[in-house]
Amino acid sequence: MRLNSIRSRLFQRTACNLLLSRRFTVLAFESSADDTCAAVVTSDRQILSNVVIRQSDLVQKWGGINPAAAVLAHQANMPIAARRALTEAKIDMSNVDGIAFTRGPGMGVCLSVALNAAKTLAAVHNKPLIGVHHMQAHALTALLTTPMHQPDGKLNPAFPRFPYLTLLVSGGHTQIVLAKSINSFRIMATTLDESIGRTIDKVSRLLQIEWGSMSPGSALENFCRQPEEGVLPEIFVPFNPVMPGRLAFSYSALHSHVDRILDLNGGMENFSLANRLAVARIFQNAAFGQIEEKLKLALEDCKRHNIEVGHLVIGGGVASNSLLRERLNACLISCSTDSRVEAVFPPIQLCTDNAAMIGWASMHRFLAGEHDDYTINPRSKWSIEDLENNF
């Protein structure tokens, strides 16, 4: 634990550019799901480039991520992303000090594309290599994007300090995690079945919402924002709280509930636009309401164990939802007693999968002189709690 504390202090001071005599530059790759990403990040918290090539057309065609189609798209897009990342950063490989990639968790075949790109470049150019935990990267993004000081030179109260809570909401995960240090995490709540992101995608398809170039989640959010009034279908069964009082998530029940409402009313052909709007809004309310309830339980658990947390860092693709952001801020205000827990949201473009967060999450290990062997393999299943025992 003492080593973790030392590393945490080093990382946070490095974030303020106090310890470095020169800038360390990382080229990073990410391909854990359906976005092909490459970025260049420096140790003084500069994002020199952040390239994301999405597969929206393929996701819409297949109704979700098709691994075989996704890996072919990654293979076609990764050289383009890498070239663009270096070009936009105005550097070449001679200026790169280290190479990072998403090792896991994620879809195994997709992870292999970023891994192979990183390993090949590292070996050919004799660069140190580090594989990064995807969810750790989300949890640490706010340390990259949040100013440590205010314009008057005072410490920024919004800059996360360990320990803090992290809410990770994406297509693969729904977790509340206690971040004790840069590589020490405790999962307080996780989903027992589907993630919130996957459930939102399925409901978006069930309600036949047009995606266009957006993700299914963004399409659902925009759909719910329409000014038209929603009207409940003729037969409607209200959503019930999911596992009330239990520090765990379950989203398959919400997806099944929408399916049941459609079935009771004879299918989508009997649904008007007003019906679809009403069901979409009530579903979104239930999905976010579950997050609020579990967050309150997590804060109560921290208080019971005398763990003082001052920040909640929100990451993952679902964190880009503006309604969720509003509700989380309101939830934290209502929960505050002696001291306020501050919600910290990275910029929306860094909430979804990206390589900039991967480069930043590797930085503390590079600066400590660590690296991985070129024979490293991906880990499609990888608990964030295992990080403490790995290093």
Side-chain angles (χ1 to χ4, degrees), residues 27-31 35-40 48-54 73-89 93 113-114 117 121 354-355:
L27 171 64
F29 299 101
E30 147 66 23
S31 64
D35 292 335
T36 310
C37 312
V40 177
L48 302 184
S49 62
N50 188 34
V51 177
V52 179
I53 302 176
R54 305 197 184 280
H74 280 312
Q75 289 170 346
N77 291 332
M78 188 59 79
I80 299 170
R83 182 67 264 169
R84 277 182 53 192
L86 291 171
T87 300
E88 292 176 15
M93 286 303 300
V113 177
L121 282 173
N354 65 90

PDB file of all heavy atoms in Angstrom, residues 27-31 35-40 48-54 73-89 93 113-114 117 121 354-355:
ATOM      1  N   LEU A  27       3.011   7.431 -27.840  1.00  0.00           N
ATOM      2  CA  LEU A  27       2.095   7.102 -28.934  1.00  0.00           C
ATOM      3  C   LEU A  27       1.238   5.944 -28.438  1.00  0.00           C
ATOM      4  O   LEU A  27       1.774   4.920 -28.001  1.00  0.00           O
ATOM      5  CB  LEU A  27       2.870   6.698 -30.192  1.00  0.00           C
ATOM      6  CG  LEU A  27       2.049   6.123 -31.362  1.00  0.00           C
ATOM      7  CD1 LEU A  27       1.082   7.156 -31.916  1.00  0.00           C
ATOM      8  CD2 LEU A  27       2.985   5.609 -32.467  1.00  0.00           C
ATOM      9  N   ALA A  28      -0.102   6.102 -28.490  1.00  0.00           N
ATOM     10  CA  ALA A  28      -0.994   5.098 -27.903  1.00  0.00           C
ATOM     11  C   ALA A  28      -2.030   4.616 -28.907  1.00  0.00           C
ATOM     12  O   ALA A  28      -2.437   5.366 -29.811  1.00  0.00           O
ATOM     13  CB  ALA A  28      -1.691   5.675 -26.672  1.00  0.00           C
ATOM     14  N   PHE A  29      -2.464   3.355 -28.711  1.00  0.00           N
ATOM     15  CA  PHE A  29      -3.456   2.731 -29.588  1.00  0.00           C
ATOM     16  C   PHE A  29      -4.575   2.115 -28.761  1.00  0.00           C
ATOM     17  O   PHE A  29      -4.348   1.590 -27.676  1.00  0.00           O
ATOM     18  CB  PHE A  29      -2.798   1.635 -30.443  1.00  0.00           C
ATOM     19  CG  PHE A  29      -1.714   2.138 -31.355  1.00  0.00           C
ATOM     20  CD1 PHE A  29      -0.377   1.973 -31.014  1.00  0.00           C
ATOM     21  CD2 PHE A  29      -2.030   2.772 -32.541  1.00  0.00           C
ATOM     22  CE1 PHE A  29       0.628   2.431 -31.848  1.00  0.00           C
ATOM     23  CE2 PHE A  29      -1.029   3.239 -33.387  1.00  0.00           C
ATOM     24  CZ  PHE A  29       0.305   3.071 -33.039  1.00  0.00           C
ATOM     25  N   GLU A  30      -5.798   2.158 -29.315  1.00  0.00           N
ATOM     26  CA  GLU A  30      -6.966   1.572 -28.663  1.00  0.00           C
ATOM     27  C   GLU A  30      -7.871   0.945 -29.719  1.00  0.00           C
ATOM     28  O   GLU A  30      -8.186   1.576 -30.741  1.00  0.00           O
ATOM     29  CB  GLU A  30      -7.712   2.655 -27.872  1.00  0.00           C
ATOM     30  CG  GLU A  30      -9.221   2.538 -27.774  1.00  0.00           C
ATOM     31  CD  GLU A  30      -9.724   1.355 -26.990  1.00  0.00           C
ATOM     32  OE1 GLU A  30      -8.984   0.820 -26.148  1.00  0.00           O
ATOM     33  OE2 GLU A  30     -10.880   0.944 -27.221  1.00  0.00           O
ATOM     34  N   SER A  31      -8.278  -0.327 -29.488  1.00  0.00           N
ATOM     35  CA  SER A  31      -9.199  -1.005 -30.416  1.00  0.00           C
ATOM     36  C   SER A  31      -9.984  -2.086 -29.677  1.00  0.00           C
ATOM     37  O   SER A  31     -10.192  -3.169 -30.198  1.00  0.00           O
ATOM     38  CB  SER A  31      -8.428  -1.620 -31.596  1.00  0.00           C
ATOM     39  OG  SER A  31      -7.544  -2.654 -31.140  1.00  0.00           O
ATOM     40  N   ASP A  35     -14.206   1.245 -32.033  1.00  0.00           N
ATOM     41  CA  ASP A  35     -13.536   2.467 -32.449  1.00  0.00           C
ATOM     42  C   ASP A  35     -12.039   2.211 -32.607  1.00  0.00           C
ATOM     43  O   ASP A  35     -11.405   1.632 -31.719  1.00  0.00           O
ATOM     44  CB  ASP A  35     -13.742   3.591 -31.426  1.00  0.00           C
ATOM     45  CG  ASP A  35     -15.189   4.066 -31.366  1.00  0.00           C
ATOM     46  OD1 ASP A  35     -15.905   3.893 -32.381  1.00  0.00           O
ATOM     47  OD2 ASP A  35     -15.605   4.588 -30.322  1.00  0.00           O
ATOM     48  N   THR A  36     -11.481   2.647 -33.740  1.00  0.00           N
ATOM     49  CA  THR A  36     -10.049   2.530 -33.984  1.00  0.00           C
ATOM     50  C   THR A  36      -9.396   3.846 -33.593  1.00  0.00           C
ATOM     51  O   THR A  36      -9.711   4.890 -34.173  1.00  0.00           O
ATOM     52  CB  THR A  36      -9.773   2.228 -35.467  1.00  0.00           C
ATOM     53  OG1 THR A  36     -10.581   1.128 -35.896  1.00  0.00           O
ATOM     54  CG2 THR A  36      -8.304   1.893 -35.677  1.00  0.00           C
ATOM     55  N   CYS A  37      -8.498   3.800 -32.622  1.00  0.00           N
ATOM     56  CA  CYS A  37      -7.988   5.043 -32.036  1.00  0.00           C
ATOM     57  C   CYS A  37      -6.462   5.055 -31.960  1.00  0.00           C
ATOM     58  O   CYS A  37      -5.837   4.038 -31.658  1.00  0.00           O
ATOM     59  CB  CYS A  37      -8.536   5.230 -30.617  1.00  0.00           C
ATOM     60  SG  CYS A  37     -10.320   4.970 -30.453  1.00  0.00           S
ATOM     61  N   ALA A  38      -5.907   6.234 -32.177  1.00  0.00           N
ATOM     62  CA  ALA A  38      -4.477   6.467 -31.982  1.00  0.00           C
ATOM     63  C   ALA A  38      -4.313   7.895 -31.481  1.00  0.00           C
ATOM     64  O   ALA A  38      -5.082   8.787 -31.858  1.00  0.00           O
ATOM     65  CB  ALA A  38      -3.700   6.258 -33.276  1.00  0.00           C
ATOM     66  N   ALA A  39      -3.334   8.106 -30.615  1.00  0.00           N
ATOM     67  CA  ALA A  39      -3.149   9.437 -30.026  1.00  0.00           C
ATOM     68  C   ALA A  39      -1.706   9.626 -29.615  1.00  0.00           C
ATOM     69  O   ALA A  39      -0.965   8.659 -29.419  1.00  0.00           O
ATOM     70  CB  ALA A  39      -4.075   9.625 -28.825  1.00  0.00           C
ATOM     71  N   VAL A  40      -1.333  10.881 -29.464  1.00  0.00           N
ATOM     72  CA  VAL A  40      -0.017  11.237 -28.922  1.00  0.00           C
ATOM     73  C   VAL A  40      -0.250  12.121 -27.706  1.00  0.00           C
ATOM     74  O   VAL A  40      -0.932  13.149 -27.797  1.00  0.00           O
ATOM     75  CB  VAL A  40       0.854  11.971 -29.958  1.00  0.00           C
ATOM     76  CG1 VAL A  40       2.183  12.376 -29.324  1.00  0.00           C
ATOM     77  CG2 VAL A  40       1.087  11.088 -31.183  1.00  0.00           C
ATOM     78  N   LEU A  48      -1.425  15.932 -28.017  1.00  0.00           N
ATOM     79  CA  LEU A  48      -0.959  16.475 -29.284  1.00  0.00           C
ATOM     80  C   LEU A  48      -1.822  16.024 -30.451  1.00  0.00           C
ATOM     81  O   LEU A  48      -1.901  16.711 -31.473  1.00  0.00           O
ATOM     82  CB  LEU A  48       0.503  16.088 -29.526  1.00  0.00           C
ATOM     83  CG  LEU A  48       1.506  16.540 -28.451  1.00  0.00           C
ATOM     84  CD1 LEU A  48       2.924  16.184 -28.878  1.00  0.00           C
ATOM     85  CD2 LEU A  48       1.378  18.026 -28.167  1.00  0.00           C
ATOM     86  N   SER A  49      -2.459  14.866 -30.307  1.00  0.00           N
ATOM     87  CA  SER A  49      -3.409  14.391 -31.315  1.00  0.00           C
ATOM     88  C   SER A  49      -4.288  13.336 -30.672  1.00  0.00           C
ATOM     89  O   SER A  49      -3.889  12.680 -29.701  1.00  0.00           O
ATOM     90  CB  SER A  49      -2.681  13.808 -32.541  1.00  0.00           C
ATOM     91  OG  SER A  49      -1.886  12.682 -32.177  1.00  0.00           O
ATOM     92  N   ASN A  50      -5.486  13.183 -31.206  1.00  0.00           N
ATOM     93  CA  ASN A  50      -6.417  12.176 -30.683  1.00  0.00           C
ATOM     94  C   ASN A  50      -7.342  11.758 -31.818  1.00  0.00           C
ATOM     95  O   ASN A  50      -8.361  12.399 -32.076  1.00  0.00           O
ATOM     96  CB  ASN A  50      -7.213  12.731 -29.501  1.00  0.00           C
ATOM     97  CG  ASN A  50      -8.043  11.659 -28.824  1.00  0.00           C
ATOM     98  OD1 ASN A  50      -7.640  10.498 -28.759  1.00  0.00           O
ATOM     99  ND2 ASN A  50      -9.216  12.030 -28.319  1.00  0.00           N
ATOM    100  N   VAL A  51      -6.975  10.700 -32.506  1.00  0.00           N
ATOM    101  CA  VAL A  51      -7.694  10.252 -33.700  1.00  0.00           C
ATOM    102  C   VAL A  51      -8.644   9.115 -33.334  1.00  0.00           C
ATOM    103  O   VAL A  51      -8.245   8.139 -32.693  1.00  0.00           O
ATOM    104  CB  VAL A  51      -6.706   9.776 -34.786  1.00  0.00           C
ATOM    105  CG1 VAL A  51      -7.461   9.250 -36.000  1.00  0.00           C
ATOM    106  CG2 VAL A  51      -5.755  10.902 -35.172  1.00  0.00           C
ATOM    107  N   VAL A  52      -9.902   9.253 -33.722  1.00  0.00           N
ATOM    108  CA  VAL A  52     -10.909   8.205 -33.496  1.00  0.00           C
ATOM    109  C   VAL A  52     -11.626   7.944 -34.813  1.00  0.00           C
ATOM    110  O   VAL A  52     -12.245   8.851 -35.377  1.00  0.00           O
ATOM    111  CB  VAL A  52     -11.937   8.615 -32.417  1.00  0.00           C
ATOM    112  CG1 VAL A  52     -12.982   7.510 -32.236  1.00  0.00           C
ATOM    113  CG2 VAL A  52     -11.249   8.925 -31.097  1.00  0.00           C
ATOM    114  N   ILE A  53     -11.537   6.731 -35.309  1.00  0.00           N
ATOM    115  CA  ILE A  53     -12.252   6.326 -36.530  1.00  0.00           C
ATOM    116  C   ILE A  53     -13.359   5.361 -36.109  1.00  0.00           C
ATOM    117  O   ILE A  53     -13.084   4.268 -35.628  1.00  0.00           O
ATOM    118  CB  ILE A  53     -11.313   5.663 -37.552  1.00  0.00           C
ATOM    119  CG1 ILE A  53     -10.168   6.616 -37.914  1.00  0.00           C
ATOM    120  CG2 ILE A  53     -12.088   5.273 -38.814  1.00  0.00           C
ATOM    121  CD1 ILE A  53      -9.136   6.014 -38.854  1.00  0.00           C
ATOM    122  N   ARG A  54     -14.593   5.797 -36.266  1.00  0.00           N
ATOM    123  CA  ARG A  54     -15.731   5.028 -35.777  1.00  0.00           C
ATOM    124  C   ARG A  54     -16.241   4.050 -36.838  1.00  0.00           C
ATOM    125  O   ARG A  54     -15.985   4.205 -38.034  1.00  0.00           O
ATOM    126  CB  ARG A  54     -16.852   5.961 -35.332  1.00  0.00           C
ATOM    127  CG  ARG A  54     -16.389   6.983 -34.300  1.00  0.00           C
ATOM    128  CD  ARG A  54     -17.551   7.612 -33.558  1.00  0.00           C
ATOM    129  NE  ARG A  54     -17.077   8.644 -32.650  1.00  0.00           N
ATOM    130  CZ  ARG A  54     -16.550   8.428 -31.464  1.00  0.00           C
ATOM    131  NH1 ARG A  54     -16.428   7.191 -31.020  1.00  0.00           N
ATOM    132  NH2 ARG A  54     -16.141   9.434 -30.702  1.00  0.00           N
ATOM    133  N   ALA A  73     -12.374  -3.980 -40.014  1.00  0.00           N
ATOM    134  CA  ALA A  73     -12.365  -2.520 -40.068  1.00  0.00           C
ATOM    135  C   ALA A  73     -11.190  -1.952 -39.269  1.00  0.00           C
ATOM    136  O   ALA A  73     -10.532  -1.001 -39.702  1.00  0.00           O
ATOM    137  CB  ALA A  73     -13.688  -1.968 -39.534  1.00  0.00           C
ATOM    138  N   HIS A  74     -10.916  -2.541 -38.109  1.00  0.00           N
ATOM    139  CA  HIS A  74      -9.757  -2.102 -37.321  1.00  0.00           C
ATOM    140  C   HIS A  74      -8.463  -2.265 -38.114  1.00  0.00           C
ATOM    141  O   HIS A  74      -7.596  -1.383 -38.122  1.00  0.00           O
ATOM    142  CB  HIS A  74      -9.652  -2.924 -36.034  1.00  0.00           C
ATOM    143  CG  HIS A  74     -10.577  -2.481 -34.942  1.00  0.00           C
ATOM    144  ND1 HIS A  74     -10.702  -1.166 -34.560  1.00  0.00           N
ATOM    145  CD2 HIS A  74     -11.403  -3.199 -34.135  1.00  0.00           C
ATOM    146  CE1 HIS A  74     -11.576  -1.087 -33.555  1.00  0.00           C
ATOM    147  NE2 HIS A  74     -12.011  -2.298 -33.289  1.00  0.00           N
ATOM    148  N   GLN A  75      -8.326  -3.406 -38.762  1.00  0.00           N
ATOM    149  CA  GLN A  75      -7.106  -3.668 -39.524  1.00  0.00           C
ATOM    150  C   GLN A  75      -6.939  -2.673 -40.669  1.00  0.00           C
ATOM    151  O   GLN A  75      -5.816  -2.269 -40.994  1.00  0.00           O
ATOM    152  CB  GLN A  75      -7.123  -5.099 -40.055  1.00  0.00           C
ATOM    153  CG  GLN A  75      -6.943  -6.147 -38.959  1.00  0.00           C
ATOM    154  CD  GLN A  75      -7.199  -7.560 -39.447  1.00  0.00           C
ATOM    155  OE1 GLN A  75      -7.759  -7.770 -40.527  1.00  0.00           O
ATOM    156  NE2 GLN A  75      -6.810  -8.545 -38.652  1.00  0.00           N
ATOM    157  N   ALA A  76      -8.047  -2.265 -41.274  1.00  0.00           N
ATOM    158  CA  ALA A  76      -7.981  -1.284 -42.361  1.00  0.00           C
ATOM    159  C   ALA A  76      -7.717   0.118 -41.825  1.00  0.00           C
ATOM    160  O   ALA A  76      -7.006   0.914 -42.456  1.00  0.00           O
ATOM    161  CB  ALA A  76      -9.292  -1.309 -43.153  1.00  0.00           C
ATOM    162  N   ASN A  77      -8.267   0.426 -40.656  1.00  0.00           N
ATOM    163  CA  ASN A  77      -8.216   1.793 -40.135  1.00  0.00           C
ATOM    164  C   ASN A  77      -6.990   2.109 -39.281  1.00  0.00           C
ATOM    165  O   ASN A  77      -6.586   3.276 -39.177  1.00  0.00           O
ATOM    166  CB  ASN A  77      -9.470   2.077 -39.297  1.00  0.00           C
ATOM    167  CG  ASN A  77     -10.736   2.141 -40.133  1.00  0.00           C
ATOM    168  OD1 ASN A  77     -10.692   2.478 -41.307  1.00  0.00           O
ATOM    169  ND2 ASN A  77     -11.865   1.812 -39.526  1.00  0.00           N
ATOM    170  N   MET A  78      -6.384   1.086 -38.649  1.00  0.00           N
ATOM    171  CA  MET A  78      -5.305   1.376 -37.707  1.00  0.00           C
ATOM    172  C   MET A  78      -4.099   2.058 -38.357  1.00  0.00           C
ATOM    173  O   MET A  78      -3.557   3.028 -37.791  1.00  0.00           O
ATOM    174  CB  MET A  78      -4.879   0.100 -36.974  1.00  0.00           C
ATOM    175  CG  MET A  78      -3.898   0.361 -35.832  1.00  0.00           C
ATOM    176  SD  MET A  78      -4.579   1.491 -34.571  1.00  0.00           S
ATOM    177  CE  MET A  78      -5.639   0.375 -33.653  1.00  0.00           C
ATOM    178  N   PRO A  79      -3.625   1.618 -39.536  1.00  0.00           N
ATOM    179  CA  PRO A  79      -2.500   2.350 -40.156  1.00  0.00           C
ATOM    180  C   PRO A  79      -2.852   3.810 -40.439  1.00  0.00           C
ATOM    181  O   PRO A  79      -2.011   4.700 -40.292  1.00  0.00           O
ATOM    182  CB  PRO A  79      -2.245   1.572 -41.455  1.00  0.00           C
ATOM    183  CG  PRO A  79      -2.797   0.210 -41.203  1.00  0.00           C
ATOM    184  CD  PRO A  79      -3.995   0.420 -40.327  1.00  0.00           C
ATOM    185  N   ILE A  80      -4.102   4.055 -40.830  1.00  0.00           N
ATOM    186  CA  ILE A  80      -4.546   5.431 -41.104  1.00  0.00           C
ATOM    187  C   ILE A  80      -4.548   6.239 -39.813  1.00  0.00           C
ATOM    188  O   ILE A  80      -4.077   7.388 -39.781  1.00  0.00           O
ATOM    189  CB  ILE A  80      -5.964   5.414 -41.735  1.00  0.00           C
ATOM    190  CG1 ILE A  80      -5.948   4.644 -43.059  1.00  0.00           C
ATOM    191  CG2 ILE A  80      -6.492   6.835 -41.914  1.00  0.00           C
ATOM    192  CD1 ILE A  80      -7.321   4.367 -43.625  1.00  0.00           C
ATOM    193  N   ALA A  81      -5.075   5.652 -38.748  1.00  0.00           N
ATOM    194  CA  ALA A  81      -5.136   6.345 -37.464  1.00  0.00           C
ATOM    195  C   ALA A  81      -3.737   6.655 -36.943  1.00  0.00           C
ATOM    196  O   ALA A  81      -3.473   7.756 -36.431  1.00  0.00           O
ATOM    197  CB  ALA A  81      -5.912   5.501 -36.453  1.00  0.00           C
ATOM    198  N   ALA A  82      -2.821   5.697 -37.067  1.00  0.00           N
ATOM    199  CA  ALA A  82      -1.452   5.903 -36.589  1.00  0.00           C
ATOM    200  C   ALA A  82      -0.761   7.018 -37.360  1.00  0.00           C
ATOM    201  O   ALA A  82      -0.102   7.893 -36.775  1.00  0.00           O
ATOM    202  CB  ALA A  82      -0.664   4.602 -36.716  1.00  0.00           C
ATOM    203  N   ARG A  83      -0.910   6.995 -38.683  1.00  0.00           N
ATOM    204  CA  ARG A  83      -0.284   8.032 -39.504  1.00  0.00           C
ATOM    205  C   ARG A  83      -0.849   9.410 -39.168  1.00  0.00           C
ATOM    206  O   ARG A  83      -0.114  10.396 -39.039  1.00  0.00           O
ATOM    207  CB  ARG A  83      -0.527   7.701 -40.980  1.00  0.00           C
ATOM    208  CG  ARG A  83       0.105   8.651 -41.990  1.00  0.00           C
ATOM    209  CD  ARG A  83       1.607   8.569 -41.973  1.00  0.00           C
ATOM    210  NE  ARG A  83       2.224   9.592 -41.134  1.00  0.00           N
ATOM    211  CZ  ARG A  83       3.484   9.602 -40.786  1.00  0.00           C
ATOM    212  NH1 ARG A  83       4.295   8.627 -41.159  1.00  0.00           N
ATOM    213  NH2 ARG A  83       3.969  10.559 -40.039  1.00  0.00           N
ATOM    214  N   ARG A  84      -2.181   9.475 -39.020  1.00  0.00           N
ATOM    215  CA  ARG A  84      -2.824  10.760 -38.700  1.00  0.00           C
ATOM    216  C   ARG A  84      -2.384  11.267 -37.331  1.00  0.00           C
ATOM    217  O   ARG A  84      -2.174  12.479 -37.141  1.00  0.00           O
ATOM    218  CB  ARG A  84      -4.340  10.603 -38.741  1.00  0.00           C
ATOM    219  CG  ARG A  84      -4.966  10.698 -40.127  1.00  0.00           C
ATOM    220  CD  ARG A  84      -6.475  10.589 -40.054  1.00  0.00           C
ATOM    221  NE  ARG A  84      -7.050  11.553 -39.119  1.00  0.00           N
ATOM    222  CZ  ARG A  84      -8.319  11.516 -38.688  1.00  0.00           C
ATOM    223  NH1 ARG A  84      -9.115  10.533 -39.101  1.00  0.00           N
ATOM    224  NH2 ARG A  84      -8.764  12.425 -37.850  1.00  0.00           N
ATOM    225  N   ALA A  85      -2.263  10.352 -36.356  1.00  0.00           N
ATOM    226  CA  ALA A  85      -1.871  10.761 -35.005  1.00  0.00           C
ATOM    227  C   ALA A  85      -0.497  11.416 -35.013  1.00  0.00           C
ATOM    228  O   ALA A  85      -0.281  12.457 -34.378  1.00  0.00           O
ATOM    229  CB  ALA A  85      -1.889   9.561 -34.063  1.00  0.00           C
ATOM    230  N   LEU A  86       0.451  10.824 -35.736  1.00  0.00           N
ATOM    231  CA  LEU A  86       1.796  11.396 -35.816  1.00  0.00           C
ATOM    232  C   LEU A  86       1.797  12.702 -36.604  1.00  0.00           C
ATOM    233  O   LEU A  86       2.457  13.683 -36.223  1.00  0.00           O
ATOM    234  CB  LEU A  86       2.752  10.398 -36.454  1.00  0.00           C
ATOM    235  CG  LEU A  86       3.077   9.145 -35.625  1.00  0.00           C
ATOM    236  CD1 LEU A  86       3.851   8.136 -36.462  1.00  0.00           C
ATOM    237  CD2 LEU A  86       3.867   9.513 -34.371  1.00  0.00           C
ATOM    238  N   THR A  87       1.043  12.733 -37.696  1.00  0.00           N
ATOM    239  CA  THR A  87       1.004  13.929 -38.532  1.00  0.00           C
ATOM    240  C   THR A  87       0.384  15.110 -37.780  1.00  0.00           C
ATOM    241  O   THR A  87       0.915  16.227 -37.800  1.00  0.00           O
ATOM    242  CB  THR A  87       0.208  13.660 -39.824  1.00  0.00           C
ATOM    243  OG1 THR A  87       0.840  12.602 -40.549  1.00  0.00           O
ATOM    244  CG2 THR A  87       0.147  14.910 -40.702  1.00  0.00           C
ATOM    245  N   GLU A  88      -0.759  14.857 -37.119  1.00  0.00           N
ATOM    246  CA  GLU A  88      -1.435  15.928 -36.390  1.00  0.00           C
ATOM    247  C   GLU A  88      -0.613  16.400 -35.193  1.00  0.00           C
ATOM    248  O   GLU A  88      -0.691  17.568 -34.796  1.00  0.00           O
ATOM    249  CB  GLU A  88      -2.827  15.471 -35.959  1.00  0.00           C
ATOM    250  CG  GLU A  88      -3.782  15.277 -37.124  1.00  0.00           C
ATOM    251  CD  GLU A  88      -5.137  14.725 -36.708  1.00  0.00           C
ATOM    252  OE1 GLU A  88      -5.441  14.751 -35.491  1.00  0.00           O
ATOM    253  OE2 GLU A  88      -5.898  14.280 -37.599  1.00  0.00           O
ATOM    254  N   ALA A  89       0.169  15.490 -34.615  1.00  0.00           N
ATOM    255  CA  ALA A  89       1.044  15.872 -33.502  1.00  0.00           C
ATOM    256  C   ALA A  89       2.310  16.568 -33.991  1.00  0.00           C
ATOM    257  O   ALA A  89       3.073  17.103 -33.189  1.00  0.00           O
ATOM    258  CB  ALA A  89       1.420  14.627 -32.694  1.00  0.00           C
ATOM    259  N   MET A  93       8.453   9.063 -35.525  1.00  0.00           N
ATOM    260  CA  MET A  93       8.762   8.048 -34.530  1.00  0.00           C
ATOM    261  C   MET A  93      10.022   8.370 -33.732  1.00  0.00           C
ATOM    262  O   MET A  93      10.178   7.898 -32.603  1.00  0.00           O
ATOM    263  CB  MET A  93       8.910   6.676 -35.197  1.00  0.00           C
ATOM    264  CG  MET A  93       7.579   6.048 -35.632  1.00  0.00           C
ATOM    265  SD  MET A  93       6.400   5.846 -34.266  1.00  0.00           S
ATOM    266  CE  MET A  93       7.292   4.770 -33.162  1.00  0.00           C
ATOM    267  N   VAL A 113      -5.612  -5.995 -32.604  1.00  0.00           N
ATOM    268  CA  VAL A 113      -5.183  -5.055 -33.642  1.00  0.00           C
ATOM    269  C   VAL A 113      -4.302  -3.960 -33.042  1.00  0.00           C
ATOM    270  O   VAL A 113      -3.210  -3.670 -33.540  1.00  0.00           O
ATOM    271  CB  VAL A 113      -6.396  -4.447 -34.368  1.00  0.00           C
ATOM    272  CG1 VAL A 113      -5.943  -3.424 -35.402  1.00  0.00           C
ATOM    273  CG2 VAL A 113      -7.219  -5.545 -35.036  1.00  0.00           C
ATOM    274  N   ALA A 114      -4.756  -3.329 -31.945  1.00  0.00           N
ATOM    275  CA  ALA A 114      -3.944  -2.308 -31.280  1.00  0.00           C
ATOM    276  C   ALA A 114      -2.667  -2.921 -30.721  1.00  0.00           C
ATOM    277  O   ALA A 114      -1.585  -2.326 -30.801  1.00  0.00           O
ATOM    278  CB  ALA A 114      -4.741  -1.634 -30.164  1.00  0.00           C
ATOM    279  N   ALA A 117      -0.170  -3.560 -33.574  1.00  0.00           N
ATOM    280  CA  ALA A 117       0.383  -2.302 -34.076  1.00  0.00           C
ATOM    281  C   ALA A 117       1.430  -1.762 -33.108  1.00  0.00           C
ATOM    282  O   ALA A 117       2.525  -1.355 -33.519  1.00  0.00           O
ATOM    283  CB  ALA A 117      -0.738  -1.281 -34.275  1.00  0.00           C
ATOM    284  N   LEU A 121       5.606  -1.646 -33.894  1.00  0.00           N
ATOM    285  CA  LEU A 121       6.310  -0.360 -33.905  1.00  0.00           C
ATOM    286  C   LEU A 121       7.360  -0.286 -32.805  1.00  0.00           C
ATOM    287  O   LEU A 121       8.468   0.209 -33.010  1.00  0.00           O
ATOM    288  CB  LEU A 121       5.311   0.783 -33.754  1.00  0.00           C
ATOM    289  CG  LEU A 121       4.521   1.161 -35.008  1.00  0.00           C
ATOM    290  CD1 LEU A 121       3.455   2.196 -34.670  1.00  0.00           C
ATOM    291  CD2 LEU A 121       5.444   1.703 -36.101  1.00  0.00           C
ATOM    292  N   ASN A 354     -11.012   6.152 -26.513  1.00  0.00           N
ATOM    293  CA  ASN A 354     -10.021   6.974 -27.194  1.00  0.00           C
ATOM    294  C   ASN A 354      -8.631   6.506 -26.776  1.00  0.00           C
ATOM    295  O   ASN A 354      -8.477   5.810 -25.768  1.00  0.00           O
ATOM    296  CB  ASN A 354     -10.226   8.454 -26.869  1.00  0.00           C
ATOM    297  CG  ASN A 354      -9.995   8.755 -25.399  1.00  0.00           C
ATOM    298  OD1 ASN A 354      -8.873   9.058 -24.981  1.00  0.00           O
ATOM    299  ND2 ASN A 354     -11.046   8.669 -24.575  1.00  0.00           N
ATOM    300  N   ALA A 355      -7.634   6.881 -27.526  1.00  0.00           N
ATOM    301  CA  ALA A 355      -6.258   6.458 -27.219  1.00  0.00           C
ATOM    302  C   ALA A 355      -5.523   7.445 -26.332  1.00  0.00           C
ATOM    303  O   ALA A 355      -4.513   7.089 -25.725  1.00  0.00           O
ATOM    304  CB  ALA A 355      -5.476   6.234 -28.514  1.00  0.00           C
TER     305      ALA A 355
END
